[in-house]
Amino acid sequence: GENVEQHPSTLSVQEGDSAVIKCTYSDSASNYFPWYKQELGKRPQLIIDIRSNVGEKKDQRIAVTLNKTAKHFSLHITETQPEDSAVYFCAATYYGNNRLAFGKGNQVVVIP
Amino acid sequence: DTAVSQTPKYLVTQMGNDKSIKCEQNLGHDTMYWYKQDSKKFLKIMFSYNNKELIINETVPNRFSPKSPDKAHLNLHINSLELGDSAVYFCASSPTTDTEAFFGQGTRLTVV
């Protein structure tokens, strides 16, 4: 079964505000945590990932933070724009796992 | 050049029929996956292959049979199609489980 849980399932934010999505994982062996974005009718695409040897990673308006002790990691989107409206999927895995299983996804709706 | 390509993009068929979806990647990746995305947008892993060997079968009904003739191809054959098989099927590939996965454009299967 899935080893990651995502909360909340749907998030509505005003344009310009920040959005935060959190994932929790259970397998202590996990050391790679990617986030994928899927726009309506499109394929999922990687937007950012983090490995367990760092606590935070940023790429322009998006960032990911990792708390290994609590086994959760979060996606932060600042200054949200309409094009950020999409479903976001997280995953937790490691080399040799051979299993890239995703959480159930979060629908983010940016209200203009 | 398309990195991961699936054919067909749309597939409409009657219950009880047998159909196949083809997937090819030109990235030289060792790992390939099949996912099923239902109407709730949940991206559920079905199979994982590594170097054309089946590694993971996520308790998928045996009506679904993947075939990997070589490292670059992973096809999905479905026997005796049921209404509940209607979904979007995504193929993906990555060098290893803990690196970026690239998705095909998806195949929308509708069983009537």
Side-chain angles (χ1 to χ4, degrees), chain A residues 5 17 21-22 24 32 38 41-42 47 54 56-57 63 71 73 78 89 97-99 106 109 111:
Chain A
E5 290 189 13
D17 287 350
I21 306 168
K22 180 179 171 181
T24 56
Y32 176 65
Q38 185 180 26
K42 302 283 182 66
I47 54 170
V54 297
E56 183 175 359
K57 184 176 177 181
K71 291 192 185 146
F73 57 109
T78 58
F89 294 95
N97 186 21
N98 293 308
R99 185 173 184 269
N106 295 106
V109 178
I111 304 164

Side-chain angles (χ1 to χ4, degrees), chain A residues 1-2 31-32 36 38 40-46 49 51 87 89 93-105 107, chain B residues 2 4 31 33 35 37 40-45 48 50 55-56 58 90 94 96-106 108:
Chain A
E2 288 66 43
N31 59 12
Y32 176 65
Y36 285 74
Q38 185 180 26
L40 188 62
K42 302 283 182 66
R43 72 191 79 190
Q45 290 187 293
L46 180 76
D49 55 13
R51 296 188 186 272
V87 179
F89 294 95
T93 188
Y94 54 91
Y95 179 81
N97 186 21
N98 293 308
R99 185 173 184 269
L100 183 63
F102 294 95
K104 292 187 175 180
Q107 175 79 58
Chain B
T2 304
V4 182
T31 306
Y33 315 88
Y35 292 90
Q37 188 168 47
K40 294 183 179 179
K41 302 299 182 187
F42 181 31
L43 198 61
K44 183 173 175 57
I45 189 168
S48 294
N50 185 270
I55 303 297
I56 302 282
E58 295 280 336
F90 284 99
S94 63
T96 58
T97 312
D98 64 338
T99 50
E100 180 177 2
F102 293 83
F103 283 77
Q105 76 272 30
R108 181 173 293 279

Side-chain angles (χ1 to χ4, degrees), chain A residues 32-96:
Chain A
Y32 176 65
F33 308 91
W35 283 93
Y36 285 74
K37 175 184 180 183
Q38 185 180 26
E39 297 176 11
L40 188 62
K42 302 283 182 66
R43 72 191 79 190
Q45 290 187 293
L46 180 76
I47 54 170
I48 196 167
D49 55 13
I50 193 169
R51 296 188 186 272
S52 59
N53 57 344
V54 297
E56 183 175 359
K57 184 176 177 181
K58 280 185 180 179
D59 183 3
Q60 299 181 359
R61 294 186 299 106
I62 60 172
V64 55
T65 57
L66 171 64
N67 183 326
K68 286 185 290 184
T69 304
K71 291 192 185 146
H72 65 72
F73 57 109
S74 299
L75 177 70
H76 304 255
I77 308 173
T78 58
E79 300 172 30
T80 52
Q81 299 170 5
E83 54 264 36
D84 295 328
S85 294
V87 179
Y88 293 82
F89 294 95
C90 66
T93 188
Y94 54 91
Y95 179 81

